[in-house]
Amino acid sequence: MSLRWMLLAALLLAFDAMAQAKVDTVQSLAMPSGADYGRLRLLKEGRMTKVYVDMLRFDDSAGSKPHFPAEMARLVDISPSGLTRLFTDTILKSRRFEVYDLRSTVTAEHADIVIDAQIISATQEFKPLEGGMQAAFTGVLLSVQMKDVYTGKYLFGTAVQVEGKTGLVSGDRTVLAPGESPGDPAIRNRLAVDYQYALRRAFVLAGQRIESILRPQATVLAIDGADVGIVGGQAQGFQADDEFVVFRPKVVKLGDREVFASTKPVALIHCASVATDTSQCNVISKVADLQMQEGDFAIITDGSLRKTRWE
C-alpha cells in the first residue's frame, strides 16, 4: 500500500473514531412525562392527535362584573366563540396537533382529545412608583381541562390553572403619570391592551401545558451504529432538529387496555431529517450497559418542546 493510501486510511479511521466519540455514555437519562401506550395508535394511523377546543362561557349573568373592560372588545372578540377561535389559533402555532373548534366539521366525538377552558378572573391593580407615577399589573386566570375521548380519562387529573400577566417588568405595563386617571379614555384604551396581552399569554401557557402531555411519540425502525430510523414524522407533528429519549417499556394489561407499567430510558437521539412518516436521527448519548433495539419506543424531550414557536 502506498504512503498516500496509508495516510488516507488513517484519516478515515480517525474520522470514524471521532464520530463514535460524539456518542456520550451516561449512567442514566431523564424520562420525559406523558408517555402513553394508547396514543401510539396514531403512528399506525399515520396522523397527528386530533384536539377539539371549546371555551366555556364565563359568568355573564345579570349583575355579575364583566371580566374585561368595554374597550377590550375593540381589540379581541371576547365572546365565547371568539375566545375559542383565539385559543385554537394559539394551540395551532405549536404545529404538533390537528386542532378543531366550533368552526370545523369535526365534532368532539370524532376527536382524540377534548379541551375545555374557562376564564376564571381578569384583574388589574395599580402600584405606586417613584415620582408619583403608578404602574398597572394585569392578570388573566384560565382554567383548563383535557379529556381523552377513547378512555374517558382526564389527562391533567384535575383542572389546571394558568395565569397570563403583564406589568412584572418595565416596558411591559401601562404607567400612569401624576394626575392621570385610569378612567381617562386614552388610559382606558392602554389598559385594555394590557388585558389583551395577559389573555394571550394565558393561552400560550395553557398550550404549552397541553403540549407537554400530548407530546409526540415514535418507535425505533432501524439501527445502524449511531444512525437511527424512527417511525414518526411531519404527519405526527415532528419537526426538524427534534430530540427524543428512546426507552424500553414494560407493557401490562389494565382492564381492556394496555398501558406502560414502567419505562427505562436507553438513549438520547437527535433527528435532523424529518420526512412525512419517518425521521432519520443520530445518537447523542446512550445509557451504559443498554443497547437500543428495533421496536423500542421514543418520546420527544422537554428541550425540543421549549423550542416550539408559540409567539
Side-chain angles (χ1 to χ4, degrees), residues 49-63:
T49 303
K50 291 182 179 179
V51 174
Y52 187 89
V53 178
D54 186 22
M55 283 291 300
L56 304 179
R57 182 177 295 276
F58 43 68
D59 183 11
D60 56 0
S61 58

Side-chain angles (χ1 to χ4, degrees), residues 42-292:
L42 301 177
L43 294 175
K44 298 177 182 178
E45 297 173 11
R47 63 177 179 84
M48 296 182 187
T49 303
K50 291 182 179 179
V51 174
Y52 187 89
V53 178
D54 186 22
M55 283 291 300
L56 304 179
R57 182 177 295 276
F58 43 68
D59 183 11
D60 56 0
S61 58
S64 64
K65 181 181 178 181
H67 280 284
F68 300 110
E71 289 77 8
M72 180 75 162
R74 291 199 290 267
L75 302 171
V76 177
D77 181 356
I78 55 177
S79 67
S81 61
L83 291 173
T84 297
R85 182 164 57 251
L86 180 59
F87 191 25
T88 300
D89 291 344
T90 302
I91 298 174
L92 273 171
K93 290 181 180 179
S94 76
R95 297 177 293 162
R96 303 288 188 188
F97 322 110
E98 293 182 32
V99 187
Y100 303 93
D101 63 9
L102 296 175
R103 297 169 295 174
S104 70
T105 57
V106 174
T107 62
E109 291 78 10
H110 293 93
D112 302 305
I113 304 295
V114 174
I115 297 171
D116 294 329
Q118 185 172 32
I119 295 172
I120 302 301
S121 66
T123 58
Q124 196 167 68
E125 59 179 351
F126 299 88
K127 297 182 180 181
L129 300 176
E130 294 181 358
M133 296 187 294
Q134 297 182 80
F137 291 78
T138 307
V140 173
L141 185 63
L142 186 70
S143 175
V144 184
Q145 289 186 337
M146 185 163 62
K147 184 178 181 179
D148 187 317
V149 174
Y150 289 88
T151 65
K153 180 181 178 182
Y154 284 94
L155 299 181
F156 286 139
T158 184
V160 166
Q161 292 189 349
V162 295
E163 186 174 17
K165 297 179 180 180
T166 66
L168 299 182
V169 296
S170 177
D172 187 43
R173 59 196 178 200
T174 295
V175 176
L176 278 64
E180 289 184 321
S181 168
D184 295 341
I187 299 299
R188 287 178 61 87
N189 288 332
R190 287 161 54 192
L191 293 174
V193 173
D194 285 1
Y195 275 113
Q196 178 191 23
Y197 287 162
L199 172 64
R200 291 183 180 275
R201 289 171 185 175
F203 283 165
V204 167
L205 290 172
Q208 291 171 343
R209 292 292 297 272
I210 292 165
E211 186 185 45
S212 71
I213 298 297
L214 302 180
R215 61 179 74 208
Q217 300 177 123
T219 55
V220 175
L221 179 64
I223 304 168
D224 183 7
D227 297 325
V228 182
I230 61 175
V231 177
Q234 294 174 0
Q236 290 76 34
F238 295 12
Q239 298 169 19
D241 292 322
D242 277 343
E243 292 183 354
F244 290 78
V245 170
V246 177
F247 65 94
R248 188 163 304 141
K250 180 179 179 181
V251 180
V252 298
K253 195 82 170 178
L254 184 63
D256 58 352
R257 298 184 297 123
E258 289 184 306
V259 299
F260 290 140
S262 63
T263 53
K264 180 183 294 185
V266 176
L268 176 66
I269 60 175
H270 170 260
C271 303
S273 177
V274 177
T276 302
D277 296 299
T278 61
S279 301
Q280 299 302 311
C281 317
N282 63 282
V283 182
I284 299 174
S285 58
K286 62 179 292 294
V287 176
D289 302 325
L290 291 177
Q291 297 293 330
M292 276 188 298

